[in-house]
Amino acid sequence: MNKTIYDCIREGSFSCQCGKSHSSSLKELIIEAGAIKRIPGLVEKYGGHKVFVLTDVNAEAAAGTAVCEHLKNAGIPYSSYVFPQTNLEPDEHAVGAAVMHFDTSCDLILGVGSGVINDIGKILANLIGKTYMIFGTAPSMDGYASATSSMARSGLKVSLNSCCPSVIIGDLDILCAAPIKMLQSGLGDMVAKYVSICEWRIANRLIGEEFCPVIAQMVREAVHKCVTNAESLMQRKPDAVAAVMEGLVITGIAMSYAGMSRPASGMEHYFSHIWDMRGLSFGTLTDTHGIQCGVGTLMGIRAYEQIRQIVPNKEKALAYVAGFDVEDWNEELRRFLGTGAEAMIQNESREGKYDKAKHAARLELIINAWDEILQIINDEIPPYEFVENALKTVGAATKAEEIGFNEYEIRNAFLMAKDIRDKYVGTRLLWDLGCLEEVADRLFG
């Protein structure tokens, strides 16, 4: 594309070689030292007369208090709500609290925080039709510039339409001082794109899902820049921190350009969602989204190493599906995930991916396209050791056991990831081939 992300933001939209016009609602991205001082001017630039500041107790200490001081010193009136939870969940209760505490005399919403605050802020802004800005306090996740919010609804992790911020502000003085776990999370969420781009291309080949090579390349370049700066990221060097923050924004914009989450998430994200859903139902331990995605990426790479060795066997796959009992499987989902399983079961009743006739048709497509599928995997999936070394360089976990998951939780996340969304991912390919359980056995016992 030969354009920087700042060119794309400034132009607003562009006609792509894929035949579509891509656009994002993000109007301005500022990543620089001392950026907090620019908040009053940005509020005025985007028509704000009174600001509603939305934050939590963690981000309030990191930047929220200082943001309010800058507004006060500039003579800009504001109201604020600080979520009291130290481990805030993005769910119905959090959105309800934000709505109920919103000051209706405010005409601009300013989120101060990272993933959860941004997701809630985008939903609030979308609901009430106000301009939204986010002051990011950590380069920890890729949702800053997306027009969706990752939420827990009735125990199920869902991606809800919300809005893209008009402005994203990252002050390098604050970003570089973020907890190391947040920096690790940002890199974990970026390496996930190796799997997501691979699966996007496979879905394009098998089921005709729209794919844009320009968007994919934009994401690949952002990931490369982050991974090659891993050592400097661990040292909190501003250029490396800026590269990760910029990369996370780029992938969010890529989702807006594509009109879906394909450029940024695949089965590696679904492993994380499964662990989160189990945590919501049973109080089991979870880690940050990005760290779980980094671990999930390595699990996904291992899975694709196994897929490379498969020779599709039509009779085996048809026999496997003939013996698959949907009701028995639904009971497994309920046992492991609790209430969140019901929404997944309802999704399947609408989608019908377990329908035997649909499976037979997909299997023919898979067999006919197998050489192309293997080429896509070879093109997109890097060696396991390459990604592992990048994550280890910043001290991030590389195995699910390191963040507290046991063999039962790891194996079930692998088996159940195919049920989260109606998105064709690697574990669906393994199920279609009749190889899902045997690969799970080899990888996880």
Side-chain angles (χ1 to χ4, degrees), residues 24-82:
S24 168
S25 300
L26 180 63
K27 295 179 174 62
E28 202 158 348
L29 169 63
I30 298 164
I31 302 173
E32 62 188 30
I36 194 170
K37 299 173 184 176
R38 298 183 60 177
I39 287 176
L42 290 165
V43 168
E44 293 174 350
K45 180 177 178 179
Y46 290 93
H49 297 95
K50 185 176 182 181
V51 180
F52 181 69
V53 179
L54 185 69
T55 188
D56 61 18
V57 290
N58 298 318
E60 182 187 34
T65 301
V67 165
C68 291
E69 280 296 312
H70 280 284
L71 292 172
K72 180 180 177 181
N73 292 339
I76 298 174
Y78 68 90
S79 293
S80 65
Y81 177 63
V82 181

Side-chain angles (χ1 to χ4, degrees), residues 115-224:
V116 175
I117 287 296
N118 190 51
D119 281 333
I120 297 168
K122 289 189 294 185
I123 286 184
L124 176 63
N126 191 51
L127 284 172
I128 62 179
K130 302 295 184 183
T131 299
Y132 177 64
M133 299 181 183
I134 177 68
F135 183 87
T137 56
S140 56
M141 53 84 221
D142 64 11
Y144 279 117
S146 74
T148 61
S149 292
S150 182
M151 305 295 290
R153 184 178 65 188
S154 300
L156 176 67
K157 293 293 287 189
V158 295
S159 183
L160 300 180
N161 290 331
S162 53
C163 71
C164 177
S166 295
V167 181
I168 298 172
I169 310 154
D171 188 322
L172 285 174
D173 296 328
I174 292 169
L175 295 176
C176 289
I180 189 61
K181 180 168 275 196
M182 296 294 99
L183 304 182
Q184 295 166 345
S185 295
L187 186 62
D189 211 351
M190 287 303 296
V191 299
K193 303 348 171 195
Y194 290 121
V195 175
S196 66
I197 297 295
C198 177
E199 292 180 336
W200 193 13
R201 288 183 62 191
I202 290 173
N204 169 256
R205 178 59 185 86
L206 288 181
I207 60 176
E209 194 171 293
E210 289 187 355
F211 172 78
C212 176
V214 172
I215 295 173
Q217 186 59 25
M218 187 171 84
V219 173
R220 290 188 196 103
E221 291 173 1
V223 176
H224 177 75

Side-chain angles (χ1 to χ4, degrees), residues 270-338:
Y270 293 173
F271 302 149
S272 178
H273 290 341
I274 290 290
W275 291 323
D276 285 345
M277 289 170 61
R278 181 167 168 80
L280 287 169
S281 287
F282 301 113
T284 51
L285 292 176
T286 58
D287 212 306
T288 67
H289 168 76
I291 286 175
Q292 290 181 174
C293 286
V295 167
T297 299
L298 291 172
M299 289 169 57
I301 291 173
R302 285 289 193 223
Y304 278 107
E305 290 174 348
Q306 295 291 318
I307 290 171
R308 283 190 180 106
Q309 300 172 33
I310 293 172
V311 177
N313 183 314
K314 183 175 181 179
E315 289 72 25
K316 174 184 176 179
L318 291 174
Y320 171 84
V321 170
F324 183 82
D325 189 305
V326 175
E327 290 307 314
D328 283 351
W329 178 243
N330 289 344
E331 287 307 308
E332 287 294 326
L333 293 173
R334 291 185 178 106
R335 273 192 289 272
F336 187 74
L337 295 172

Side-chain angles (χ1 to χ4, degrees), residues 2 10 14 65-66 69 81 90 113 134 157 182 194 215 219 231 265 296 298 303 333 339 351 354 378 398 400 421 428:
N2 297 322
R10 185 171 56 253
F14 67 96
T65 301
E69 280 296 312
Y81 177 63
I134 177 68
K157 293 293 287 189
M182 296 294 99
Y194 290 121
I215 295 173
V219 173
E231 186 173 349
S265 74
L298 291 172
L333 293 173
T339 56
E351 182 192 355
Y354 295 137
N378 290 335
T398 58
R421 306 268 196 279
R428 286 203 181 192

Side-chain angles (χ1 to χ4, degrees), residues 8-9 12-13 22-27 145-146 164-165 252-254 256-257:
C8 295
I9 293 168
S13 65
H22 300 309
S23 63
S24 168
S25 300
L26 180 63
K27 295 179 174 62
S146 74
C164 177
I253 291 173
S256 293
Y257 284 167

